Amino acid sequence: GDTIQMARYLPLLAARGAKLTVAVQNPVRSLIESMGGGINFIDGSATPAGYDLRCSMMGLPLIFNTTLDSIPAAEGYLRADTDRQAVWQTRLAQRWPQFPARPKIGIVWSGNSDHNNDQNRSTTLQQWSGLLDFPAYWIALQKDIRPPDMATLRACSHIAHYPDEMRDFVDTAALIGQLDLVIAVDTSVAHLAGALGKPVWIMVPANPDWRWLVDRTDTPWYRSARLFRQDRVLSWDRAFDQLRAALAAEFSASA
Protein backbone atom coordinates (compact mmCIF):
# COMPACT_ATOMS: atom_id res chain seq x y z
CA GLY A 1 0.00 0.00 0.00
CA ASP A 2 2.81 2.44 0.81
CA THR A 3 4.44 1.73 -2.54
CA ILE A 4 1.21 2.25 -4.46
CA GLN A 5 0.51 5.47 -2.57
CA MET A 6 3.96 6.97 -3.14
CA ALA A 7 4.46 5.85 -6.74
CA ARG A 8 2.81 9.13 -7.76
CA TYR A 9 6.11 10.90 -7.01
CA LEU A 10 8.26 8.84 -9.38
CA PRO A 11 7.32 10.75 -12.57
CA LEU A 12 8.05 14.00 -10.71
CA LEU A 13 11.56 12.81 -9.92
CA ALA A 14 12.10 11.71 -13.51
CA ALA A 15 10.86 15.07 -14.76
CA ARG A 16 13.58 16.77 -12.74
CA GLY A 17 16.23 14.83 -14.63
CA ALA A 18 16.92 12.07 -12.15
CA LYS A 19 18.04 8.71 -13.51
CA LEU A 20 15.88 6.50 -11.34
CA THR A 21 16.38 2.95 -10.15
CA VAL A 22 13.45 1.89 -8.00
CA ALA A 23 13.41 -1.24 -5.85
CA VAL A 24 9.81 -2.50 -5.72
CA GLN A 25 8.25 -5.50 -3.98
CA ASN A 26 7.52 -8.29 -6.47
CA PRO A 27 3.71 -8.37 -5.98
CA VAL A 28 3.37 -4.78 -7.21
CA ARG A 29 6.38 -4.51 -9.52
CA SER A 30 4.52 -5.15 -12.79
CA LEU A 31 1.82 -2.70 -11.77
CA ILE A 32 4.25 0.12 -10.94
CA GLU A 33 6.38 -0.64 -14.01
CA SER A 34 3.37 0.17 -16.18
CA MET A 35 3.87 3.83 -15.27
CA GLY A 36 6.78 3.85 -17.75
CA GLY A 37 8.77 7.06 -17.90
CA GLY A 38 12.14 5.43 -18.50
CA ILE A 39 12.44 4.34 -14.86
CA ASN A 40 14.55 1.28 -14.08
CA PHE A 41 12.72 -1.07 -11.72
CA ILE A 42 14.46 -3.82 -9.80
CA ASP A 43 13.40 -6.45 -7.28
CA GLY A 44 12.66 -5.01 -3.86
CA SER A 45 15.30 -7.17 -2.18
CA ALA A 46 18.04 -6.25 -4.66
CA THR A 47 20.75 -3.65 -4.07
CA PRO A 48 21.19 -1.14 -6.91
CA ALA A 49 24.69 -0.71 -8.23
CA GLY A 50 26.21 2.76 -8.14
CA TYR A 51 24.03 5.67 -7.14
CA ASP A 52 24.49 9.23 -5.91
CA LEU A 53 21.44 9.49 -3.67
CA ARG A 54 19.12 7.04 -1.98
CA CYS A 55 15.66 7.76 -0.61
CA SER A 56 12.83 5.71 0.83
CA MET A 57 9.62 6.09 -1.17
CA MET A 58 7.90 7.10 2.07
CA GLY A 59 10.35 10.01 2.28
CA LEU A 60 9.28 11.50 -1.06
CA PRO A 61 6.49 13.72 0.31
CA LEU A 62 9.10 15.47 2.47
CA ILE A 63 11.52 15.80 -0.45
CA PHE A 64 8.80 17.57 -2.44
CA ASN A 65 7.67 19.71 0.52
CA THR A 66 4.19 18.24 0.22
CA THR A 67 1.29 19.91 1.98
CA LEU A 68 -2.37 18.88 2.09
CA ASP A 69 -2.95 21.27 -0.80
CA SER A 70 -0.08 20.08 -2.98
CA ILE A 71 -0.42 16.28 -2.97
CA PRO A 72 0.18 15.26 -6.61
CA ALA A 73 -2.02 13.10 -8.83
CA ALA A 74 -4.88 12.71 -6.35
CA GLU A 75 -7.26 12.08 -9.25
CA GLY A 76 -5.53 8.81 -10.22
CA TYR A 77 -2.12 7.98 -11.66
CA LEU A 78 -2.21 4.24 -12.40
CA ARG A 79 -4.00 2.60 -15.31
CA ALA A 80 -5.50 -0.88 -15.54
CA ASP A 81 -4.22 -3.05 -18.41
CA THR A 82 -6.72 -2.95 -21.29
CA ASP A 83 -6.26 -6.57 -22.38
CA ARG A 84 -6.66 -7.93 -18.87
CA GLN A 85 -9.72 -5.76 -18.35
CA ALA A 86 -11.30 -7.44 -21.37
CA VAL A 87 -10.60 -10.85 -19.83
CA TRP A 88 -12.28 -9.82 -16.58
CA GLN A 89 -15.23 -8.35 -18.44
CA THR A 90 -15.80 -11.73 -20.09
CA ARG A 91 -15.29 -13.60 -16.84
CA LEU A 92 -17.84 -11.50 -14.96
CA ALA A 93 -20.34 -11.79 -17.82
CA GLN A 94 -20.03 -15.57 -17.60
CA ARG A 95 -20.66 -15.44 -13.85
CA TRP A 96 -23.73 -13.22 -14.21
CA PRO A 97 -24.90 -13.72 -17.81
CA GLN A 98 -28.06 -11.64 -17.47
CA PHE A 99 -26.40 -8.64 -15.84
CA PRO A 100 -29.56 -6.74 -14.87
CA ALA A 101 -29.08 -3.22 -13.60
CA ARG A 102 -27.12 -3.80 -10.41
CA PRO A 103 -23.83 -2.28 -9.28
CA LYS A 104 -20.68 -4.39 -9.30
CA ILE A 105 -18.93 -3.91 -5.98
CA GLY A 106 -15.57 -5.30 -4.88
CA ILE A 107 -14.91 -5.87 -1.18
CA VAL A 108 -11.88 -6.31 1.07
CA TRP A 109 -12.69 -7.07 4.70
CA SER A 110 -9.24 -7.89 6.13
CA GLY A 111 -5.56 -7.28 5.52
CA ASN A 112 -2.31 -9.02 6.33
CA SER A 113 -2.71 -10.78 9.67
CA ASP A 114 0.96 -10.04 10.45
CA HIS A 115 0.36 -6.28 10.31
CA ASN A 116 1.02 -4.69 13.70
CA ASN A 117 -2.36 -2.92 13.63
CA ASP A 118 -4.37 -5.76 12.13
CA GLN A 119 -6.82 -6.14 15.02
CA ASN A 120 -7.90 -2.53 14.59
CA ARG A 121 -8.11 -2.31 10.81
CA SER A 122 -9.45 -5.76 9.81
CA THR A 123 -12.95 -7.16 10.11
CA THR A 124 -14.49 -10.59 9.57
CA LEU A 125 -16.65 -11.38 6.57
CA GLN A 126 -19.48 -12.27 8.95
CA GLN A 127 -19.57 -8.64 10.09
CA TRP A 128 -20.49 -7.64 6.51
CA SER A 129 -23.65 -9.76 6.41
CA GLY A 130 -26.01 -6.80 6.81
CA LEU A 131 -24.24 -4.90 4.05
CA LEU A 132 -24.10 -7.82 1.62
CA ASP A 133 -27.91 -8.05 1.61
CA PHE A 134 -27.91 -5.01 -0.68
CA PRO A 135 -28.80 -6.06 -4.25
CA ALA A 136 -25.46 -5.89 -6.04
CA TYR A 137 -22.91 -8.13 -7.72
CA TRP A 138 -20.36 -8.69 -4.96
CA ILE A 139 -16.76 -9.63 -5.75
CA ALA A 140 -14.17 -10.56 -3.14
CA LEU A 141 -10.92 -8.80 -4.02
CA GLN A 142 -8.89 -10.74 -1.45
CA LYS A 143 -6.65 -13.48 -2.68
CA ASP A 144 -5.84 -14.94 0.73
CA ILE A 145 -8.78 -15.77 2.99
CA ARG A 146 -8.52 -16.67 6.67
CA PRO A 147 -10.08 -20.05 7.59
CA PRO A 148 -13.13 -18.67 9.48
CA ASP A 149 -13.83 -16.25 6.63
CA MET A 150 -13.45 -19.02 4.05
CA ALA A 151 -16.28 -20.94 5.71
CA THR A 152 -18.45 -17.83 5.56
CA LEU A 153 -17.47 -17.15 1.96
CA ARG A 154 -18.38 -20.68 0.86
CA ALA A 155 -21.82 -20.16 2.35
CA CYS A 156 -22.28 -16.90 0.39
CA SER A 157 -22.98 -18.04 -3.17
CA HIS A 158 -23.72 -14.46 -4.21
CA ILE A 159 -20.07 -13.40 -3.68
CA ALA A 160 -17.69 -14.12 -6.56
CA HIS A 161 -14.10 -14.98 -5.70
CA TYR A 162 -11.21 -15.53 -8.12
CA PRO A 163 -8.11 -16.43 -6.06
CA ASP A 164 -6.40 -18.34 -8.88
CA GLU A 165 -7.16 -15.77 -11.57
CA MET A 166 -5.89 -12.81 -9.51
CA ARG A 167 -2.25 -13.58 -10.21
CA ASP A 168 -0.83 -10.19 -9.29
CA PHE A 169 -1.80 -6.58 -8.72
CA VAL A 170 -2.10 -6.03 -12.47
CA ASP A 171 -4.97 -8.52 -12.47
CA THR A 172 -6.50 -6.95 -9.39
CA ALA A 173 -6.31 -3.52 -11.06
CA ALA A 174 -7.96 -4.90 -14.19
CA LEU A 175 -10.76 -6.45 -12.15
CA ILE A 176 -11.27 -3.19 -10.26
CA GLY A 177 -11.49 -1.48 -13.63
CA GLN A 178 -14.67 -3.46 -14.32
CA LEU A 179 -16.36 -2.48 -11.05
CA ASP A 180 -18.54 0.42 -10.01
CA LEU A 181 -17.20 0.66 -6.48
CA VAL A 182 -14.68 -0.84 -4.06
CA ILE A 183 -15.39 -1.04 -0.32
CA ALA A 184 -12.31 -1.92 1.71
CA VAL A 185 -10.63 -1.75 5.05
CA ASP A 186 -7.28 0.04 5.13
CA THR A 187 -5.25 -2.27 2.89
CA SER A 188 -3.21 -2.15 -0.31
CA VAL A 189 -6.35 -2.73 -2.42
CA ALA A 190 -7.88 0.46 -1.01
CA HIS A 191 -4.77 2.33 -2.18
CA LEU A 192 -4.92 0.59 -5.55
CA ALA A 193 -8.52 1.62 -6.15
CA GLY A 194 -7.69 5.21 -5.23
CA ALA A 195 -4.60 5.23 -7.44
CA LEU A 196 -6.77 4.05 -10.33
CA GLY A 197 -9.26 6.83 -9.67
CA LYS A 198 -11.99 4.25 -8.97
CA PRO A 199 -14.67 5.14 -6.40
CA VAL A 200 -13.53 3.54 -3.15
CA TRP A 201 -15.08 3.62 0.30
CA ILE A 202 -12.44 3.01 2.95
CA MET A 203 -13.21 1.80 6.47
CA VAL A 204 -10.93 3.62 8.91
CA PRO A 205 -10.20 2.67 12.55
CA ALA A 206 -10.93 5.03 15.44
CA ASN A 207 -7.17 5.52 15.85
CA PRO A 208 -6.32 5.94 12.17
CA ASP A 209 -3.07 5.62 10.31
CA TRP A 210 -1.47 9.04 9.76
CA ARG A 211 -2.47 9.30 6.12
CA TRP A 212 -6.22 9.31 6.82
CA LEU A 213 -6.04 12.35 9.14
CA VAL A 214 -8.99 12.87 11.52
CA ASP A 215 -12.54 14.24 11.48
CA ARG A 216 -13.08 14.13 7.73
CA THR A 217 -14.84 11.85 5.29
CA ASP A 218 -12.53 12.58 2.36
CA THR A 219 -8.80 12.33 1.82
CA PRO A 220 -6.47 14.60 -0.16
CA TRP A 221 -4.51 11.52 -1.25
CA TYR A 222 -7.35 10.09 -3.37
CA ARG A 223 -10.15 12.25 -4.69
CA SER A 224 -12.25 9.19 -5.52
CA ALA A 225 -12.17 7.96 -1.90
CA ARG A 226 -14.71 8.34 0.86
CA LEU A 227 -13.90 7.47 4.48
CA PHE A 228 -16.16 5.62 6.91
CA ARG A 229 -14.78 5.82 10.42
CA GLN A 230 -15.22 3.88 13.63
CA ASP A 231 -16.79 5.94 16.40
CA ARG A 232 -14.95 3.92 19.04
CA VAL A 233 -12.10 1.41 19.12
CA LEU A 234 -12.92 -2.05 17.68
CA SER A 235 -16.53 -1.13 16.90
CA TRP A 236 -17.55 -1.02 13.25
CA ASP A 237 -21.30 -0.62 13.91
CA ARG A 238 -21.52 3.03 12.94
CA ALA A 239 -19.35 2.55 9.87
CA PHE A 240 -21.56 -0.28 8.60
CA ASP A 241 -24.71 1.76 9.29
CA GLN A 242 -23.26 4.62 7.26
CA LEU A 243 -22.16 2.27 4.48
CA ARG A 244 -25.67 0.80 4.19
CA ALA A 245 -27.17 4.28 3.98
CA ALA A 246 -24.57 5.34 1.40
CA LEU A 247 -25.27 2.29 -0.78
CA ALA A 248 -28.98 3.03 -0.72
CA ALA A 249 -28.37 6.66 -1.63
CA GLU A 250 -25.87 5.86 -4.39
CA PHE A 251 -27.44 2.85 -6.09
CA SER A 252 -31.09 2.49 -5.06
CA ALA A 253 -32.29 3.56 -8.49
CA SER A 254 -30.30 0.77 -10.19
CA ALA A 255 -30.74 -1.94 -7.57
Side-chain angles (χ1 to χ4, degrees):
D2 292 344
T3 299
I4 293 171
Q5 182 184 7
M6 296 305 162
R8 69 187 73 208
Y9 287 96
L10 299 180
L12 301 182
L13 281 174
R16 292 191 177 189
K19 182 179 179 181
L20 294 180
T21 296
V22 183
V24 180
Q25 305 97 318
N26 274 334
V28 293
R29 180 174 172 179
S30 294
L31 174 72
I32 305 301
E33 279 182 328
S34 67
M35 298 182 73
I39 301 171
N40 177 38
F41 291 92
I42 63 174
D43 181 81
S45 61
T47 300
Y51 54 87
D52 299 302
L53 297 170
R54 180 180 182 272
C55 179
S56 163
M57 288 184 71
M58 291 297 286
L60 292 176
L62 177 62
I63 297 297
F64 281 91
N65 298 314
T66 305
T67 68
L68 294 181
D69 297 322
S70 66
I71 294 173
E75 70 281 356
Y77 46 92
L78 296 179
R79 297 291 178 267
D81 181 85
T82 302
D83 292 338
R84 293 208 202 183
Q85 281 199 77
V87 171
W88 280 108
Q89 183 180 42
T90 300
R91 191 171 283 141
L92 293 178
Q94 291 171 343
R95 169 68 187 245
W96 293 295
Q98 302 305 316
F99 262 123
R102 288 185 177 182
K104 299 185 290 296
I105 304 175
I107 59 173
V108 178
W109 59 90
S110 65
N112 185 345
S113 60
D114 293 330
H115 192 280
N116 59 13
N117 196 40
D118 183 66
Q119 68 171 350
N120 290 310
R121 68 170 186 162
S122 289
T123 64
T124 67
L125 182 56
Q126 182 63 40
Q127 289 176 277
W128 291 60
S129 58
L131 194 68
L132 298 174
D133 287 341
F134 187 82
Y137 298 110
W138 297 97
I139 300 95
L141 296 176
Q142 294 185 207
K143 184 175 178 66
D144 299 319
I145 310 294
R146 303 177 192 189
D149 290 329
M150 182 58 74
T152 304
L153 182 61
R154 287 171 178 158
C156 297
S157 59
H158 62 299
I159 304 177
H161 185 221
Y162 301 95
D164 296 330
E165 290 84 353
M166 287 193 297
R167 297 167 294 175
D168 54 24
F169 273 87
V170 176
D171 266 317
T172 306
L175 175 52
I176 290 173
Q178 294 301 303
L179 305 181
D180 299 298
L181 172 68
V182 172
I183 305 176
V185 295
D186 181 9
T187 63
S188 57
V189 176
H191 287 282
L192 176 57
L196 292 167
K198 178 65 64 174
V200 54
W201 296 353
I202 306 173
M203 300 170 66
V204 179
N207 296 320
D209 195 56
W210 62 270
R211 70 200 84 206
W212 306 125
L213 306 173
V214 294
D215 298 328
R216 57 189 298 169
T217 58
D218 66 337
T219 168
W221 290 101
Y222 304 110
R223 290 178 186 163
S224 64
R226 182 175 172 183
L227 307 183
F228 293 79
R229 297 178 180 271
Q230 288 181 339
D231 59 342
R232 62 185 187 277
V233 175
L234 298 181
S235 175
W236 291 105
D237 292 346
R238 184 182 74 165
F240 277 117
D241 288 343
Q242 292 176 340
L243 283 165
R244 282 190 290 269
L247 282 175
E250 186 77 15
F251 296 112
S252 58
S254 61

